């Protein structure tokens, strides 16, 4: 008997291609304007380290500094990296911030890639160790401070006043990992809610009498007519690119850059990305050059 082929797991990008924007009254399609916060969790974590070096790195613009690329270069000790190495470097950084060990990172990579990419636990641990040696502030400042909040305070507060009450919970590695994640994740969520979702919702209701399409982690998405897409992109980037004191009462301030992606679907493989939003004329020239119909 010939064995049946194993069903292929749908790729996230292909699933997202099925999500389409609304139609205009004349039946022509609108576009998705996706505005995402550039590496916001990593930036916020650096701010909690509070050293001059980390604060300076946290405020660098992605047009001059890509943290994921530079971290991967350091981890693999190479001057240039490929997409797979950048992905692995990003995963190692994520694991490092959360106190993850090499075996868990190895499992996470395998799960992410549906078993197509395997990195031994020892190699994963080496990646984590190299990153934490290079960014010692995470290991020697941030993590001890978080553990102290858990042991001595019992209630964690982020920069927006959100709280995580850990009183009465068993203090172990799992709790510490949850606490390490709390500050960057909670600040990211509150930043996007208060500076993205709320003003973006008001804009969409006032102008189109409909809500935002979605908010996904560090990104807000809206369906708008293509000739009005620059107006929304300008509005939402201005709203999101606030200057916020991180942590609260620290006297240190962070401005997170916002990038714009224009697509015919959520997962449009021919979308146009702007790390820095150009003026209106330059914006539409780039869309036209990429094959978008302007109507």
């Amino acid at each position: 008997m010939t064995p049946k082929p194993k069903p292929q797991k749908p790729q996230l990008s292909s699933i997202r291609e099925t999500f389409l924007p609304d139609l205009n009254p004349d039946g022509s399609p609108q576009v998705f304007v996706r505005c995402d916060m550039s590496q916001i969790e990593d930036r916020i974590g650096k701010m909690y380290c509070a050293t001059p070096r980390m604060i300076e790195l946290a405020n660098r613009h992605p047009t001059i500094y890509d943290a994921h690329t530079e971290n991967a270069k350091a981890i693999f000790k190479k001057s240039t990296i490929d997409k797979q190495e950048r992905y692995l470097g990003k995963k190692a950084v994520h694991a490092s911030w959360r106190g993850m060990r090499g075996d868990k990172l190895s499992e996470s990579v395998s799960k992410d890639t549906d078993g197509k990419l395997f990195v031994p636990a020892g190699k994963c641990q080496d990646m984590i160790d190299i990153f934490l040696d290079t960014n010692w502030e995470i290991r020697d400042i941030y993590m001890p401070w978080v553990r102290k909040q858990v042991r001595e305070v019992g209630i964690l507060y982020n920069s927006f006043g959100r709280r995580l009450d850990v009183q009465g919970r068993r203090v172990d590695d799992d709790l510490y990992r949850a606490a390490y994640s709390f500050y960057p994740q909670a600040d990211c969520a509150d930043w996007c809610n208060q500076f993205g979702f709320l003003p973006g919702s008001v804009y969409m209701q006032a102008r189109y009498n409909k809500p935002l399409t979605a908010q996904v982690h560090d990104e807000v998405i809206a369906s708008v007519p293509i000739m009005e897409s620059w107006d929304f992109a300008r509005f939402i980037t201005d709203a999101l690119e606030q200057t916020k004191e991180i942590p609260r009462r620290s006297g240190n301030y962070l401005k997170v850059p916002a990038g714009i992606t224009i697509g015919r679907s959520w997962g449009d493989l021919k979308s146009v990305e702007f790390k820095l939003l150009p003026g209106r004329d330059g914006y539409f020239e780039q869309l036209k050059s990429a094959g978008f119909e302007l109507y």
Side-chain angles (χ1 to χ4, degrees):
M1 177 181 290
T2 303
K4 294 182 179 180
K6 181 180 178 181
Q8 293 297 309
K9 181 179 179 181
Q11 296 297 309
L12 183 60
S13 59
S14 63
I15 295 173
R16 288 184 171 181
E17 286 181 55
T18 66
F19 289 86
L20 304 177
D22 298 332
L23 298 177
N24 293 310
D26 64 1
S28 58
Q30 298 186 356
V31 292
F32 278 140
V33 179
R34 298 169 49 197
C35 187
D36 70 282
M37 306 303 296
S38 167
Q39 302 167 358
I40 183 171
E41 286 192 16
D42 181 71
R43 294 177 188 274
I44 288 170
K46 287 183 169 75
M47 294 299 295
Y48 277 91
C49 292
T51 63
R53 183 182 86 95
M54 287 300 226
I55 293 169
E56 192 274 329
L57 287 174
N59 280 279
R60 286 188 184 179
H61 198 276
T63 55
I64 61 172
Y65 178 78
D66 178 11
H68 294 320
T69 297
E70 296 306 315
N71 287 330
K73 287 180 180 179
I75 288 170
F76 292 105
K77 300 179 180 179
K78 298 172 67 174
S79 58
T80 59
I81 57 168
D82 57 29
K83 288 183 178 180
Q84 179 171 293
E85 289 167 333
R86 187 180 186 276
Y87 160 77
L88 289 174
K90 184 176 179 180
K91 292 287 290 185
V93 171
H94 179 88
S96 301
W97 274 109
R98 285 153 181 79
M100 189 183 294
R101 303 297 299 171
D103 56 343
K104 293 296 183 182
L105 176 56
S106 178
E107 291 173 9
S108 179
V109 169
S110 180
K111 183 178 179 180
D112 268 4
T113 61
D114 200 25
K116 295 177 181 177
L117 178 60
F118 172 72
V119 183
K123 176 62 176 177
C124 287
Q125 188 62 53
D126 289 342
M127 292 160 55
I128 291 170
D129 292 341
I130 292 171
F131 174 74
L132 290 177
D133 285 342
T134 305
N135 298 274
W136 57 268
E137 296 96 332
I138 302 170
R139 181 191 59 214
D140 298 344
I141 297 176
Y142 176 70
M143 289 181 171
W145 175 79
V146 172
R147 292 194 296 270
K148 183 177 180 180
Q149 304 307 302
V150 171
R151 294 192 307 267
E152 299 183 10
V153 181
I155 301 177
L156 284 55
Y157 292 92
N158 79 340
S159 303
F160 292 81
R162 184 190 294 261
R163 52 182 273 167
L164 175 64
D165 190 341
V166 298
Q167 297 176 102
R169 295 177 59 178
R170 184 175 65 183
V171 177
D172 55 16
D173 287 343
D174 287 340
L175 181 58
Y176 284 140
R177 279 192 286 270
Y180 297 148
S181 299
F182 169 71
Y183 292 100
Q185 288 185 342
D187 276 357
C188 170
D190 289 333
W191 193 304
C192 289
N193 285 339
Q194 294 190 25
F195 301 146
F197 178 79
L198 292 178
S201 296
V202 171
Y203 181 102
M204 294 297 291
Q205 288 290 350
R207 189 153 183 173
Y208 301 111
N209 194 32
K210 66 178 183 179
L212 282 169
T213 301
Q215 177 188 352
V216 184
H217 185 51
D218 59 355
E219 177 180 79
V220 293
I221 307 170
S223 173
V224 298
I226 190 169
M227 295 309 295
E228 298 174 18
S229 60
W230 185 91
D231 300 282
F232 178 77
R234 178 77 280 161
F235 171 85
I236 200 67
T237 52
D238 286 345
L240 280 166
E241 289 184 341
Q242 301 287 326
T243 299
K244 171 73 176 174
E245 188 179 30
I246 306 284
R248 59 181 185 160
R249 296 195 293 270
S250 67
N252 299 321
Y253 290 85
L254 173 66
K255 181 178 181 179
V256 181
I260 292 291
T261 302
I262 308 299
R264 304 169 186 84
S265 68
W266 187 4
D268 187 358
L269 298 179
K270 296 182 179 180
S271 61
V272 178
E273 182 179 355
F274 301 94
K275 289 186 177 180
L276 185 64
L277 186 67
R280 183 187 296 270
D281 291 343
Y283 169 87
F284 283 114
E285 280 297 321
Q286 290 191 49
L287 291 187
K288 187 176 180 180
S289 298
F292 281 80
E293 294 184 36
L294 306 182
Y295 43 79

